[in-house]
Amino acid sequence: MAYVITQTCCNDASCVAVCPVNCIHPSPDEPGFATAEMLHIDPVVCIDCGACADACPVEAILPSDKLEPSQARFAEINADYYRDNPSPEGWLPLAPSQAPPRGQGTLRVAVVGAGPAACYATQSLLERSDVEVEMFDRLPTPFGLVRAGVAPDHPGTKSVTDSFEWSFRRDAFALHLDTEIGRDLTHDELLEHHHAVVYAVGASADRRLGIAGEDLPGSHAATEFVAWYNGHPDYADRTFDLSGERAVIVGNGNVALDVARILTMDVGELARTDIADHALKALRNSNIREVVLLGRRGPAQAAYSNPEFVALADLHGVDVVIDAADLDLDPVSARAADEDPVVASKVRLAREYAQRPLRPGNRRIVFRFFAAPHELLGDDHVTGVRVARTAFADTGDAAVVRPTGDFDDLPATLVLRSIGYRGVPIPGVPFDEARGVVPNSEGRVGPGVYVAGWIKRGPSGVIGTNKSCARETVTSLLADFDSGALREPRGDRRALHKLLGRRRPERVDLDGWRAIDAAERKAGVAQGRPRVKITDREVLVELGRRRRRLPLIGAVRR
């Protein structure tokens, strides 16, 4: 028997660090880690010790004999990885060890953002005893896309926040929610009170299609829809037209699959999750019966991960529809499927779906490969999508997608574009408009300024990818501090909190977040749900303020 990594893998590599036989790959020091959709356990090398399962923050690792029928495919996915990636001999460390304190005094760091990258950076910083961290976020709740982006039917993935909460308990850590940098504090003021500032603000904008009709009512960014059903307070008052029977999603990455699931899955199942109440009510009255995903390339190049693709098979009352004619591989794609087990699995799974019979009365998730939106149709509201057929033009070393000149019109009343996130500029910090990131070298931006997460590398990877990304940044920061390269701040923690007391006295601190968390969980217990999210920003802030620790300044550690 061996252990198996399953769908909810967050890829944070905690399991890699504890494996005594180095059988979990790719590890953070291997080239494929940054783009890996999940980690894999070698069933031949695994000694069944269970250390990885104990270390996993999202309970994604199970013994092979304990897999549910719906998880059995993951034993094959784990084993397939090692067909072309045999386990290396010997053990390599997870990351260079942190330099020990060198008597430089207390390092003060501001972390802007409270999502996974920010939390992993904080964890890494607080491994040292000579560090104080102040975390800032403009929302009254922490955890970024773990709270507002991970689909509600993936509760295991959300449990990664439990490990972040441990860092929050340190006296050297302070949390400042509902506090916006640029409004309540400036970039320069952060530098005046800290040796360094780490921006881990993610990528909050979406990419546009650039086609006619994109701004018609009924056309939205998928990121807005995701934030709406996850209870993000900035999107709680949005409305989406669910009156028609078909929705079209442009793109076929994991976010697109999340949206397709939410639109088609049984509402009774959703009612047992932490989905926002307003979204649950709207979905109960939804007429959507079919969701079509448009992908301009073929199944070998699809952006979704195999675990998310596999999971569609378990949706009750939903058929996955794929036209077998779209599964003929061009020479470049066929070569990729031969060389890469991940690509081979995508193609194999697509062929399995294409062979399944359709069941009368079921809702449908339809994958249309080699299809791109040409324009959105309608006068005062979206009525459909004009779809352009595409095809590969084989150039030898690469397969280029080009339009064929064939079009067809697909009726729809809801169109969601899901073609990627994009970072936005940070006042006072350089920005690369073309890439949508802050230019950096191993996380360094300029004297005392650093970045981590999507604003550093672009919107790529999964939650755990941010762990190695943040550690790289923190390694750079600590090296600069230990070498004396960071400027000594003029203000300490006490001075910062006095300034915040004047500028943002109503902010939500750690005790305030705990009060919000407790209230949501209590409401969830009454309904048999993990939590009932509070989506009104004023209610969140008021609840957080009532339970904050007082006095704010007198008990501050220096």
Side-chain angles (χ1 to χ4, degrees):
M1 184 184 74
Y3 276 77
V4 177
I5 297 178
T6 62
Q7 178 188 354
T8 55
C9 176
C10 72
N11 206 12
D12 87 338
S14 296
C15 54
V16 176
V18 300
C19 178
V21 292
N22 193 19
C23 76
I24 305 176
H25 298 277
S27 62
D29 52 357
E30 293 173 330
F33 178 80
T35 56
E37 58 188 31
M38 63 180 289
L39 304 184
H40 312 81
I41 294 175
D42 188 335
V44 176
V45 180
C46 177
I47 60 173
D48 194 26
C49 69
C52 56
D54 292 338
C56 179
V58 295
E59 300 180 355
I61 305 178
L62 299 170
S64 58
D65 63 348
K66 300 294 184 184
L67 295 175
E68 298 291 334
S70 62
Q71 298 171 318
R73 192 59 175 266
F74 289 97
E76 177 184 335
I77 289 173
N78 278 243
D80 280 352
Y81 175 82
Y82 293 94
R83 186 189 72 194
D84 298 310
N85 299 277
S87 289
E89 295 182 2
W91 171 257
L92 295 173
L94 181 63
S97 59
Q98 301 288 337
R102 296 184 181 177
Q104 299 273 13
T106 299
L107 167 63
R108 288 190 41 74
V109 182
V111 175
V112 182
C119 290
Y120 280 126
T122 297
Q123 284 183 334
S124 189
L125 284 163
L126 293 177
E127 290 175 1
R128 285 179 44 148
S129 61
D130 61 341
V131 178
E132 288 181 345
V133 175
E134 310 278 342
M135 180 180 284
F136 302 86
D137 197 279
R138 71 177 191 86
L139 291 177
T141 56
F143 306 133
L145 284 181
V146 178
R147 178 179 169 95
V150 174
D153 61 331
H154 285 4
T157 305
K158 295 173 187 257
S159 63
V160 71
T161 60
D162 294 342
S163 67
F164 299 153
E165 293 273 11
W166 280 98
S167 297
F168 288 7
R169 300 176 186 179
R170 296 279 301 276
D171 287 340
F173 173 82
L175 183 64
H176 309 283
L177 300 173
D178 197 39
T179 304
E180 186 171 348
I181 305 306
R183 180 194 67 187
D184 304 314
L185 290 175
T186 67
H187 170 72
D188 289 340
E189 286 171 333
L190 286 180
L191 287 174
E192 287 176 7
H193 292 83
H194 302 86
H195 292 87
V197 180
V198 178
Y199 286 99
V201 294
S204 57
D206 67 278
R207 298 184 184 277
R208 293 179 58 83
L209 297 170
I211 60 175
E214 185 173 10
D215 294 321
L216 282 170
S219 169
H220 308 269
T223 54
E224 297 175 19
F225 189 72
V226 170
W228 171 76
Y229 69 61
N230 272 316
H232 192 300
D234 291 352
Y235 296 87
D237 60 351
R238 300 292 173 92
T239 57
F240 297 87
D241 187 353
L242 306 180
S243 64
E245 293 193 353
R246 179 185 289 123
V248 173
I249 302 173
V250 181
N252 57 16
N254 284 345
V255 172
L257 266 61
D258 283 347
V259 172
R261 281 200 325 279
I262 297 302
L263 284 170
T264 56
M265 71 184 294
D266 182 82
V267 178
E269 294 181 33
L270 280 175
R272 296 191 290 271
T273 73
D274 68 353
I275 189 170
D277 281 350
H278 58 252
L280 187 62
K281 180 180 179 181
L283 290 167
R284 286 191 190 280
N285 298 314
S286 170
N287 291 325
I288 301 291
R289 302 292 301 171
E290 179 177 281
V291 178
V292 179
L293 294 92
L294 303 180
R296 65 185 183 88
R297 299 183 296 176
Q301 293 81 23
Y304 51 71
S305 66
N306 276 321
E308 295 300 323
F309 197 35
V310 169
L312 296 180
D314 299 322
L315 291 178
H316 175 69
V318 179
D319 288 331
V320 177
V321 182
I322 295 177
D323 188 342
D326 286 342
L327 303 181
D328 293 333
L329 301 184
D330 65 281
V332 174
S333 298
R335 190 158 57 246
D338 286 339
E339 297 173 354
D340 189 336
V342 173
V343 174
S345 290
K346 285 184 178 179
V347 174
R348 183 167 60 250
L349 287 167
R351 287 174 175 157
E352 290 179 10
Y353 282 130
Q355 294 171 1
R356 293 187 178 187
L358 301 182
R359 294 164 290 183
N362 275 11
R363 294 174 295 279
R364 297 181 179 184
I365 296 176
V366 181
F367 286 84
R368 286 194 57 176
F369 298 107
F370 302 108
H374 180 70
E375 66 175 303
L376 302 191
L377 307 175
D379 295 324
D380 55 3
H381 191 283
V382 168
T383 59
V385 182
R386 180 154 293 159
V387 179
R389 184 73 178 174
T390 63
F392 279 125
D394 191 1
T395 61
D397 293 331
V400 179
V401 176
R402 292 174 179 163
T404 64
D406 296 327
F407 299 91
D408 67 279
D409 292 348
L410 190 62
T413 54
L414 177 65
V415 177
L416 302 169
R417 61 183 180 273
S418 182
I419 55 175
Y421 292 78
R422 176 181 170 81
V424 297
I426 301 167
V429 178
F431 189 71
D432 184 336
E433 286 286 354
R435 298 178 55 218
V437 299
V438 172
N440 67 93
S441 175
E442 297 181 329
R444 291 183 179 93
V445 179
V449 182
Y450 303 82
V451 284
W454 282 3
I455 196 65
K456 169 187 174 183
R457 68 181 192 276
S460 62
V462 292
I463 288 174
T465 311
N466 293 292
K467 186 174 185 177
S468 57
C469 174
R471 183 171 288 272
E472 178 187 64
T473 296
V474 170
T475 298
S476 297
L477 190 161
L478 294 178
D480 293 346
F481 176 65
D482 288 333
S483 69
L486 299 182
R487 188 181 64 180
E488 189 72 19
R490 289 189 291 178
D492 59 8
R493 171 170 276 190
R494 183 183 297 273
L496 174 72
H497 287 203
K498 284 187 67 174
L499 176 61
L500 283 168
R502 295 193 302 271
R503 296 273 184 85
R504 196 65 175 167
E506 66 273 32
R507 71 191 184 280
V508 176
D509 65 4
L510 181 56
D511 283 350
W513 157 241
R514 286 171 174 163
I516 294 169
D517 184 42
E520 290 184 339
R521 290 180 185 272
K522 182 178 180 180
V525 169
Q527 298 184 25
R529 302 168 63 184
R531 68 173 67 236
V532 175
K533 287 181 177 175
I534 301 169
T535 60
D536 186 304
R537 189 178 193 122
E538 291 185 4
V539 174
L540 286 166
V541 171
E542 180 59 29
L543 180 59
R545 288 178 63 192
R546 285 204 309 264
R547 291 291 299 274
R548 69 183 303 164
R549 180 172 41 229
L550 296 172
L552 177 64
I553 300 170
V556 169
R557 286 169 53 95
R558 297 193 63 174

